[in-house]
Amino acid sequence: DTGVSQNPRHKITKRGQNVTFRCDPISEHNRLYWYRQTLGQGPEFLTYFQNEAQLEKSRLLSDRFSAERPKGSFSTLEIQRTEQGDSAMYLCASSLRGGVDEQFFGPGTRLTVL
Amino acid sequence: AQTVTQSQPEMSVQEAETVTLSCTYDTSESNYYLFWYKQPPSRQMILVIRQEAYKQQNATENRFSVNFQKAAKSFSLKISDSQLGDTAMYFCAFIGNMNRDDKIIFGKGTRLHILP
């Protein structure tokens, strides 16, 4: 296991379509985080999981967004009825126990909504 | 609200020179951690250095060091003997409320170019 992986790396979709991204954290990492990064900005927190439990959701995460982490391993982030404003890089990170343990980031999924 | 401010959107320095990236933050927390992350072009973000707020000694990692001024809420990053591979976006970041959550709050970043 060499790090956090994310798929797909790039996604182009038309407005109104649904998209799903996947994140595979480092093995045995209990915490998993999703961030969104728009052009020229730093990453913004979206949500995080402790094993399979979703502990916090940002106000940025509208009702069109849903995240899951079944069985406490990989996670998926789904966006329904995509809008052009959803275009961004979606980053996943994991840490061993949370708190101030180092968060290891994946390469991100770049979403473009036409 | 906790905020992180990076006032230098972009910087360029010659290879082998020393460069300092600025960061200020605002929080009412007494116990928190500060970080500098590096995001190379088209590559994933990695942690460069971290500082615990209750430690007065500035953190150092090889060519990277910080100047942590708690009273001024300032946390700058110094890169010595800069190398071409240091070219990247650098994000100052913060974790507070450690007993309740651990989401990172990032600044907007400084794009650093190391020139040959």
Side-chain angles (χ1 to χ4, degrees):
Chain A
D1 191 324
T2 57
V4 178
S5 61
Q6 293 186 246
N7 288 289
R9 295 291 306 276
H10 303 274
K11 179 70 177 178
I12 300 174
T13 190
K14 293 183 179 180
R15 189 175 52 186
Q17 298 293 306
N18 299 343
V19 294
T20 300
F21 311 140
R22 176 176 171 129
C23 170
D24 287 88
I26 294 172
S27 297
E28 300 180 354
H29 276 197
N30 293 325
R31 291 279 175 111
L32 186 148
Y33 309 81
W34 285 99
Y35 294 85
R36 182 172 70 185
Q37 185 177 17
T38 53
L39 203 60
Q41 302 292 320
E44 296 173 292
F45 168 79
L46 292 178
T47 187
Y48 79 94
F49 293 83
Q50 169 70 27
N51 298 316
E52 67 273 11
Q54 189 172 18
L55 297 187
E56 185 175 349
K57 294 171 60 174
S58 163
R59 286 172 293 178
L60 294 175
L61 218 61
S62 74
D63 292 344
R64 297 184 297 105
F65 288 71
S66 62
E68 295 182 340
R69 192 184 182 196
K71 303 179 183 178
S73 55
F74 70 92
S75 176
T76 58
L77 177 67
E78 180 183 16
I79 309 175
Q80 297 183 327
R81 305 182 302 282
T82 53
E83 302 172 355
Q84 287 186 325
D86 297 331
S87 295
M89 176 77 83
Y90 290 84
L91 298 170
C92 176
S94 70
S95 72
L96 185 59
R97 294 163 302 198
V100 293
D101 281 0
E102 181 177 350
Q103 293 186 22
F104 293 85
F105 283 80
T109 294
R110 181 167 296 283
L111 172 67
T112 302
V113 181
L114 302 176
Chain B
Q2 295 154 339
T3 58
V4 177
T5 302
Q6 294 179 251
S7 59
Q8 304 153 311
E10 197 161 359
M11 298 180 71
S12 297
V13 295
Q14 294 294 135
E15 190 177 8
E17 289 185 348
T18 294
V19 59
T20 299
L21 280 58
S22 302
C23 173
T24 58
Y25 60 94
D26 190 23
T27 182
S28 57
E29 299 290 325
S30 59
N31 192 18
Y32 50 88
Y33 280 68
L34 294 160
F35 308 87
W36 280 97
Y37 277 86
K38 171 185 178 181
Q39 189 175 41
S42 302
R43 295 180 63 185
Q44 56 211 79
M45 188 138 39
I46 58 173
L47 178 65
V48 174
I49 198 166
R50 60 191 278 165
Q51 174 79 41
E52 301 169 52
Y54 63 87
K55 287 189 176 180
Q56 294 191 356
Q57 185 173 5
N58 289 324
T60 299
E61 288 287 344
N62 300 315
R63 298 182 296 108
F64 299 87
S65 61
V66 299
N67 183 3
F68 174 48
Q69 302 290 327
K70 190 172 184 179
K73 295 182 180 175
S74 170
F75 183 62
S76 61
L77 174 70
K78 185 172 81 171
I79 306 174
S80 303
D81 186 27
S82 57
Q83 301 174 359
L84 296 178
D86 295 332
T87 292
M89 280 290 290
Y90 286 82
F91 293 99
C92 180
F94 168 99
I95 285 184
N97 293 330
M98 288 183 299
N99 292 328
R100 297 200 298 273
D101 62 45
D102 54 359
K103 57 180 179 286
I104 300 176
I105 297 171
F106 288 89
K108 291 187 176 182
T110 295
R111 186 176 300 280
L112 177 64
H113 302 275
I114 307 299
L115 307 173

